[in-house]
Amino acid sequence: MLIAHLSDLHIGATPATVTRLEQVIAYLQRLRQAPDAILVTGDLADHGAEGEYLIVAGLRRLGAPLLVLPGNHDDRATMRRVLLGAEPSPEPLNQVVHVGDAVFALCDSSVPGHAEGLLSDATIGWLESVLDEAGERPSFVCCHHPPVPVGKPAADAVKQVGAWRLAALLESRPSVVALCCGHIHSAAVGAFAGKPVLAAPGVESTMLLPWEPPDRPDPGPALAFHLFEDGRLTTHYRAAVSAG
Ligand SMILES: [Fe+2]
Ligand SMILES: [Fe+2]
């Protein structure tokens, strides 16, 4: 199973966000093996506007199942209506999607009106039932906000809070392979509750780390590939570069 994991498109933040998404699509169109799914872990739209989601929907041209979840910049109701063709409910947008034998629990960690994340009581309860149902099948827990600090104070101030409940849930679940997140605009790997935390880089921009020079050039849009074979996960990070 090959998953292309994108995050933080922020369509509408600047005109360049559309160009950068097109660059990623062009890169993915030239792969020699089509991904089994495209996972986008939030901040798809910068203002949660319908027109922004219609641009995000361009990812459907790739033909792979499109797995999306909301970030703090998204609007649940508009995202539901435009991208999922569902009723525009303001309730947490949690979805379970099966890709081959694997289960993807797409959790809504957004809190309307706030930049930090939280898995609500309802979402934690939902996730528990999804993992119960999944049994021994390999499961990927996906949400926008990483539950761990990453070494950048501005990002750590808006991470997922109350994550001890998620930790308690995951520690008893050997079938959970990894947590897939976004939000920090950085290709980063951490650990939480004995699971890898795999953050996709931001398509819109790359976070400047405190120890990097402030005039560091923009590295361009990038993504993660999660390869899951024979029960083993390998993650590769790649710049979405086009042929010269
Ligand atoms: Fe973001
Ligand atoms: Fe975010």
Side-chain angles (χ1 to χ4, degrees), residues 31-51:
L31 296 180
R32 288 182 291 166
Q33 177 186 342
D36 294 292
I38 311 287
L39 168 66
V40 194
T41 46
D43 284 357
L44 284 64
D46 199 59
H47 309 96
E50 175 173 343

Side-chain angles (χ1 to χ4, degrees), residues 8 10 43 71-73 115 144-145 182-185:
D8 294 85
H10 285 271
D43 284 357
N72 50 298
H73 280 259
H144 181 63
H145 297 79
H183 190 50
I184 57 173
H185 296 221

Side-chain angles (χ1 to χ4, degrees), residues 136-155:
E136 294 183 357
R137 277 179 288 172
S139 302
F140 294 79
V141 175
C142 310
C143 63
H144 181 63
H145 297 79
V148 288
V150 295
K152 166 101 174 180

Side-chain angles (χ1 to χ4, degrees), residues 51-105:
E52 296 171 345
Y53 291 115
L54 289 172
I55 293 170
V56 173
L59 283 164
R60 295 205 187 280
R61 302 203 308 266
L62 293 166
L66 182 61
L67 282 49
V68 294
L69 57 85
N72 50 298
H73 280 259
D74 288 303
D75 181 272
R76 290 168 174 168
T78 309
M79 189 171 154
R80 266 194 173 95
R81 181 170 56 80
V82 180
L83 279 185
L84 303 173
E87 286 296 309
S89 156
E91 294 302 308
L93 206 178
N94 299 315
Q95 308 159 81
V96 58
V97 179
H98 297 252
V99 180
D101 190 41
V103 177
F104 282 77

